[in-house]
Amino acid sequence: MRLQVAAHENDFGASLTGIQLSDLNQEQVQSVREAWLQYQVIYFPQQPLSHEELQHFTSHFGSFGVEPYVKAMDGYQNILEVRRNPDEQIPPFGASWHSDWSFQASPPSATILHAKVVPPLGGDTHYADGIRAYETLDPSLRNEIEDMWAIHSARRPYSHEGFETTGGRGRSMTILPSDSAWETQAHPIVRTHPESGRKVLWVNPVYTIGIRDMADDEAELVLQKLFSHCLTDQFVYKHKWQKDMLIMWDNRSVQHCAQGGYDGHLRVMHRTTLAGDPPH
Ligand code: SIN
């Protein structure tokens, strides 16, 4: 069998078949890497993987990212179980648009999500293309923000206060709120992708809380304009899951949002991240 790549019409997203992720050779690793960089969100149907195999697949592409604020799986410090029980009442984990851990000094380059239990309806994941968002931004707004830096923080979901107000206690996943979530990290609003050199509009509604050297109310207006542009339907791919499907996305240019719509049903995903570089 040979690797087959079926790219989406707009080149944002591609399905990859014809390879077995538990048993990749170096040439296949290179092809997967190239597809990930080219299409930003790549998915592989029918890939049953043990925990060890998921870790091994991840390690083909670099070292693991650092997972804060969520308890990892027992015995597997690099795997998070993204789980929602049938009787859970609060919105799913990751149900607002975000780039993973963008409040870190070096946020992950990739996130890998593997479907263990998929509900019979709902539970999609939506992805937004930050490269096209940058390229289509109104030129005057683009000039205005070109050299600005955004402030990122984990405080909304992961401070003790945020944990209480977002209903963290009602989650089946173990969230580990901390005072460290109040720390801030500045990143450029427009980052340059370190491998493709393409520019990316890189702000997200969960973790981007302000703009450096700008009053909060003014920053809020600019950020709201940017969020609504980034998240318009034309840049969004709505992914439907199947059991044993694995998806790998470029966290340096993509933001994502977990969807609900499956109350009364179990959904379980296993997630790893790859360490990234400081955005510039
Ligand atoms: C996440 O934000 O990493 C979770 C996405 C999902 O469960 O669909």
Side-chain angles (χ1 to χ4, degrees), residues 144-268:
E144 188 185 332
I145 55 132
E146 193 80 46
D147 297 318
M148 285 183 184
W149 286 60
I151 309 296
H152 295 246
S153 162
R155 67 186 58 170
R156 289 183 182 138
Y158 298 121
S159 64
H160 292 284
E161 295 81 349
F163 174 74
E164 296 300 339
T165 54
T166 56
R169 278 182 201 285
R171 220 175 256 304
S172 50
M173 294 167 66
T174 304
I175 305 299
L176 307 168
S178 165
D179 288 342
S180 70
W182 286 94
E183 290 167 10
T184 58
Q185 183 67 52
H187 291 308
I189 290 183
V190 178
R191 71 181 288 185
T192 303
H193 193 286
E195 297 187 72
S196 68
R198 298 178 80 184
K199 288 192 171 182
V200 183
L201 188 51
W202 206 67
V203 286
N204 68 83
V206 172
Y207 299 129
T208 312
I209 61 163
I211 297 178
R212 194 157 78 181
D213 300 330
M214 192 180 276
D216 285 351
D217 50 353
E218 200 187 333
E220 182 62 19
L221 286 176
V222 176
L223 287 174
Q224 286 307 329
K225 269 194 241 172
L226 297 178
F227 297 151
S228 73
H229 177 72
C230 283
L231 304 174
T232 46
D233 241 23
Q234 59 172 319
F235 309 131
V236 173
Y237 163 55
K238 299 179 178 175
H239 181 75
K240 293 212 171 298
W241 289 96
Q242 295 158 8
K243 178 176 161 32
D244 293 329
M245 185 180 265
L246 181 141
I247 193 160
M248 175 174 177
W249 66 87
D250 195 328
N251 194 53
R252 300 165 294 189
S253 57
V254 173
Q255 54 180 306
H256 62 283
C257 181
Q259 304 297 301
Y262 57 96
D263 284 359
H265 300 280
L266 177 66
R267 180 179 186 269
V268 182

Side-chain angles (χ1 to χ4, degrees), residues 82 93-94 98 100 111 113 123-125 241 249 256 258-259 267 269 271:
V82 178
F93 177 79
H98 62 287
D100 284 326
T111 302
L113 200 57
D124 300 351
T125 308
W241 289 96
W249 66 87
H256 62 283
Q259 304 297 301
R267 180 179 186 269
M269 303 273 160
R271 192 183 103 163

Side-chain angles (χ1 to χ4, degrees), residues 47-207:
Q47 299 285 344
L49 294 174
S50 66
H51 302 335
E52 285 74 14
E53 287 168 336
L54 175 60
Q55 292 190 140
H56 186 60
F57 170 77
T58 307
S59 64
H60 283 307
F61 304 96
S63 48
F64 290 101
V66 175
E67 305 297 340
Y69 306 126
V70 183
K71 187 175 173 298
M73 291 186 75
D74 286 341
Y76 297 92
Q77 60 170 16
N78 296 308
I79 304 181
L80 296 188
E81 183 165 88
V82 178
R83 178 189 187 93
R84 191 165 186 268
N85 283 338
D87 58 354
E88 231 169 288
Q89 301 293 321
I90 64 167
F93 177 79
S96 300
W97 284 100
H98 62 287
S99 303
D100 284 326
W101 310 149
S102 72
F103 51 83
Q104 293 180 329
S106 298
S109 58
T111 302
I112 292 165
L113 200 57
H114 186 232
K116 306 304 273 192
V117 180
V118 173
L121 73 173
D124 300 351
T125 308
H126 292 179
Y127 295 93
D129 178 351
I131 294 176
R132 279 183 65 218
Y134 173 77
E135 288 169 352
T136 54
L137 195 61
D138 173 74
S140 67
L141 183 55
R142 200 159 63 193
N143 279 342
E144 188 185 332
I145 55 132
E146 193 80 46
D147 297 318
M148 285 183 184
W149 286 60
I151 309 296
H152 295 246
S153 162
R155 67 186 58 170
R156 289 183 182 138
Y158 298 121
S159 64
H160 292 284
E161 295 81 349
F163 174 74
E164 296 300 339
T165 54
T166 56
R169 278 182 201 285
R171 220 175 256 304
S172 50
M173 294 167 66
T174 304
I175 305 299
L176 307 168
S178 165
D179 288 342
S180 70
W182 286 94
E183 290 167 10
T184 58
Q185 183 67 52
H187 291 308
I189 290 183
V190 178
R191 71 181 288 185
T192 303
H193 193 286
E195 297 187 72
S196 68
R198 298 178 80 184
K199 288 192 171 182
V200 183
L201 188 51
W202 206 67
V203 286
N204 68 83
V206 172
Y207 299 129

